[in-house]
Structure formats: structure tokens, C-alpha cells
Amino acid sequence: MDVLRYVAFTTDPAGGNPAGVVLDATGADDADMLATAAEVGYSETAFVVPGDDGTLSVRYFSPLAEVTFCGHATIATAVAHADRHGPGPLILHTRAGVVPVTSTVAEDGTISATLVSVAPRTEPLAEADLAELLSALRWSAGDLDPALPPRVAYAGAWHPVLAAADRGRLADLDYDMPALTALMARRGWTTIDLVRRESPTVFHARNPFPPGGVVEDPATGAAAAALGGYLRELGLVPVPATLTIRQGEDMGRPSLLTVSVPSGSDTGIAVTGAAVPV
């Protein structure tokens, strides 16, 4: 398979989150895709099978397992497709559902893409799970921002949302990887969305991703969409709203995600970012 390599949510190849993209994975089976993702070594690789009707079927594999949906690999896929076929709308059929994506080209030639997630939803985070999660993160209940209550949020994949009371707590990421891996496997969580609210519409985020075999994701579009749904469902942001999420800064790969939260409880969340070849 021909694997393309892009970084998403940045215009700098040294920033953002790298993703592998296979624009034609026709005939590849699960074992082929998993082996390819492991060889590439990025947190996610997207495998595309073009349909006769112009739609694209996409599956996402980390080096260790398949995930239902991946935002940064979706942005990378749309930009890679635009590089070769021109910008415009795409319809992606993912394991999470149908995800429309539109790519555009700026005057300087930078290509960006906007995905619209499946309908988000939020569930309570059980007290026992919260206690175990805090223990694995080596956080305490006092480290949390009471204005943003813990929840589990979904917009194609499940992510617990924990808000830090201060930026220093977010910057100090030192967790028990085996313990967090085991908890996430039992609960089916894809990443942990750790956030710090800087202003009503600006957030800093970090996303531990041990199920993918990496300590941390530099940019997580699926978690960004889930956060947008969480904020809307809990009435924590007036809608419609445009959010700025800064991620990857603490690990030296700064990323910028723009999240558009429309009104309406069952509408998808839009996530926008640039991508460039590695």
C-alpha cells in the first residue's frame, strides 16, 4: 500500500499530529491494515476504499488496534485527497457513521479541512471510574475545575473529559500508563481529554492515548468534537459558538483546532484544521 504522511492541525511539519493516509486500500484486510499502521508508527493511519458513488469508506488503525473514528487522520485524509484531486466536499463512511468533510485552499496555498462529526452525546462518569481515573493520572479531586464537571463525551469515539483547575496541573502530565491502559480498555475509551479553560471559548488540551501505544496525542479532533458536544449539552457555552483548542504545546508539537458548535442538541460538531505533508 502507498502510505502518505501528513501532519494535521498545523501548517508546520514540526508541529501537529502526524497521520498515515492510504488513499486506496482496496483489497486490504484487517491484518494488512494493522500491520501497516504498526510499521508507520503514528498514532493513527487512515485506510480509504473509494466507492463507485464517489463516497469513501475509511477505517482508522493505531499501531495496536482499530478505532471507530479519528479526527486528525480525517483532516489529513481530506487534505491528501485535495492535494491529488482538488479541494471540495467528501462523504466519509466510518465505523462511527457518515462524516462529511470539506477542504479549501487559502491564498498562500495552505489546505484546510472541516469535518462534521456524528451527533455527540454525553454520559455521567461513574464515581468509581472517576476515582480510578484520577489515581491513574496521579491527580486529586482538588485538581479539577468545579465549573466543568467530569463526564464521558462522544462524537465518534468515547473520551472522558476532565478539566484542570489551573494550567500548571495540565502541564504536569505524569500518569501510570499500565493502570490507565487497563481502565480505558475496560471502558472502551479512546483518549482522555484533559482540558484547561483559558477563557469562555479558548481551551488548552492534552490527550493521553495509551490504547494507541503512545503516551500522548498532539492533536485530537475526535476529542475536540466531543468537547464541543459536552459544552453544549451541559450549557457551558452559549451556542452557536466557535472554540479555539490549543494542544501539543507541552510536548513540543503545537496544534490548533477550531471547533464550531451549532445550536440544536442532535447536530454534529465541526472541527477545522490545516494539514501539510511530512
Side-chain angles (χ1 to χ4, degrees), residues 120-131 133-134 137 139 144-155 157-164 183-184 187-195 206-207 222-223 225-236:
R121 59 187 188 270
T122 303
E123 294 185 351
L125 179 58
E127 287 296 326
D129 286 343
L130 175 59
L133 177 55
L134 290 173
L137 291 170
W139 285 25
L144 300 177
D145 182 350
L148 299 171
R151 292 288 190 276
V152 186
Y154 175 88
W158 287 102
H159 310 265
V161 177
L162 294 185
L183 173 60
M184 294 174 73
R187 296 295 178 256
W189 299 337
T190 299
T191 73
I192 309 299
D193 197 21
L194 306 176
V195 301
R206 303 189 75 172
N207 275 249
L227 177 65
Y230 156 92
L231 294 169
R232 180 177 67 187
E233 185 170 327
L234 273 64
L236 297 171

Side-chain angles (χ1 to χ4, degrees), residues 63-250:
L64 299 180
E66 184 175 11
V67 299
T68 54
F69 178 65
C70 173
H72 85 275
T74 296
I75 297 296
T77 296
V79 172
H81 191 278
D83 269 340
R84 285 148 187 81
H85 305 290
L90 299 172
I91 300 296
L92 307 185
H93 291 270
T94 76
R95 290 290 174 97
V98 176
V99 176
V101 189
T102 301
S103 56
T104 58
V105 183
E107 290 184 2
D108 65 359
T110 299
I111 304 178
S112 297
T114 298
L115 65 87
V116 179
S117 77
V118 298
R121 59 187 188 270
T122 303
E123 294 185 351
L125 179 58
E127 287 296 326
D129 286 343
L130 175 59
E132 189 173 351
L133 177 55
L134 290 173
S135 176
L137 291 170
R138 301 189 175 104
W139 285 25
S140 69
D143 290 323
L144 300 177
D145 182 350
L148 299 171
R151 292 288 190 276
V152 186
Y154 175 88
W158 287 102
H159 310 265
V161 177
L162 294 185
D166 62 69
R167 185 66 178 87
R169 173 67 278 182
L170 188 67
D172 184 16
L173 185 64
D174 177 25
Y175 66 87
D176 183 333
M177 193 163 183
L180 190 58
T181 300
L183 173 60
M184 294 174 73
R186 293 199 309 273
R187 296 295 178 256
W189 299 337
T190 299
T191 73
I192 309 299
D193 197 21
L194 306 176
V195 301
R196 167 61 184 164
R197 193 173 201 169
E198 177 182 300
S199 74
T201 59
V202 177
F203 289 79
H204 295 267
R206 303 189 75 172
N207 275 249
F209 186 34
V214 297
V215 172
E216 181 181 359
D217 224 7
T220 317
L227 177 65
Y230 156 92
L231 294 169
R232 180 177 67 187
E233 185 170 327
L234 273 64
L236 297 171
V237 64
V239 292
T242 300
L243 311 175
T244 297
I245 299 178
R246 301 186 180 280
Q247 192 176 337
E249 295 175 348
D250 295 295

Side-chain angles (χ1 to χ4, degrees), residues 20-53:
V21 178
V22 178
L23 287 177
D24 190 353
T26 303
D29 61 19
D30 290 15
D32 295 330
M33 290 184 276
L34 183 59
T36 299
E39 183 178 351
V40 172
Y42 295 155
S43 62
E44 301 290 349
T45 296
F47 297 87
V48 179
V49 176
D52 294 336
D53 59 355

Side-chain angles (χ1 to χ4, degrees), residues 250-267:
D250 295 295
M251 57 186 301
R253 297 197 66 93
S255 306
L256 183 64
L257 301 84
T258 301
V259 178
S260 299
V261 184
S263 55
S265 60
D266 59 351
T267 52

